[in-house]
Amino acid sequence: MNEQMDISPAEWRVMRVAWTLGQVTSAQVIDALKQRVDWKPATIKTLLRRLVKKGALKTTQEGRAFIYTPLIPEQNTMDQAVDQLFDAMCQMRAGKTIRHLVERSTMSVADLQELQAILAEKIKTAPDAVPCDCVPGMIDAECCTVQENGRA
């Protein structure tokens, strides 16, 4: 997937069902989501149509039912969403955001061991401090220090 896929939080919920099941009908998505969200079936069908229009799902008709199949891979889509988020934030805050993510996430022993190995490699070339890369004129007091004549 080369082009950025803009998926809303509601669409993410629908995609999670499609990725998990591989192929789904609207009835299956409705059944899966009714336990988690209070959406009307028409809302879910609208979300499915939007995802088809965006190229995230393809649809085929079998009798009266439409079968929805993901066209975009789950992990790549999640990675691109995270990249988009981190590209938009001040890099001085990336470490704290990653720490928050690690603290709130349930991970396997294997995941944690892999993270430890990555961190062990990254620490070898890590700078003492990450410079601020905020947009000039958009100074954040928590992030950047300002001198009288401009940026620090």
Side-chain angles (χ1 to χ4, degrees):
M1 181 173 124
N2 293 333
E3 120 186 10
Q4 185 70 37
M5 180 69 60
D6 186 24
I7 299 176
S8 73
E11 292 166 344
W12 273 103
R13 287 183 179 263
V14 172
M15 287 302 298
R16 285 289 305 129
V17 175
W19 282 318
T20 300
L21 299 178
Q23 291 186 330
V24 293
T25 63
S26 59
Q28 288 174 306
V29 177
I30 291 165
D31 286 343
L33 291 178
K34 74 180 174 185
Q35 300 166 29
R36 294 185 172 210
V37 292
D38 187 26
W39 294 342
K40 296 191 181 316
T43 300
I44 294 170
K45 290 177 183 180
T46 297
L47 293 168
L48 286 164
R49 280 192 301 275
R50 285 184 194 165
L51 288 163
V52 168
K53 187 175 180 181
K54 289 179 179 186
L57 293 173
K58 77 173 182 176
T59 184
T60 53
Q61 190 168 1
E62 288 187 15
R64 290 176 33 108
F66 287 94
I67 308 297
Y68 297 90
T69 307
L71 291 176
I72 57 176
E74 182 178 18
Q75 189 62 55
N76 289 0
T77 305
M78 289 188 299
D79 291 347
Q80 285 190 353
V82 169
D83 289 347
Q84 182 179 15
L85 171 65
F86 276 79
D87 288 348
M89 73 170 58
C90 178
Q91 290 306 296
M92 287 182 72
R93 294 178 182 228
K96 288 181 182 179
T97 303
I98 293 168
R99 184 178 67 223
H100 168 77
L101 185 61
V102 169
E103 287 172 348
R104 73 173 295 277
S105 298
T106 302
M107 291 182 273
S108 69
V109 170
D111 289 336
L112 293 169
Q113 289 172 334
E114 188 176 348
L115 278 174
Q116 286 177 322
I118 290 167
L119 292 172
E121 280 302 308
K122 286 197 76 73
I123 203 165
K124 294 176 184 177
T125 58
D128 289 334
V130 176
C132 175
D133 65 348
C134 288
V135 177
M138 300 293 288
I139 305 302
D140 182 332
E142 284 185 40
C143 178
C144 311
T145 52
V146 180
Q147 295 177 347
E148 283 188 23
N149 62 351
R151 295 179 58 81

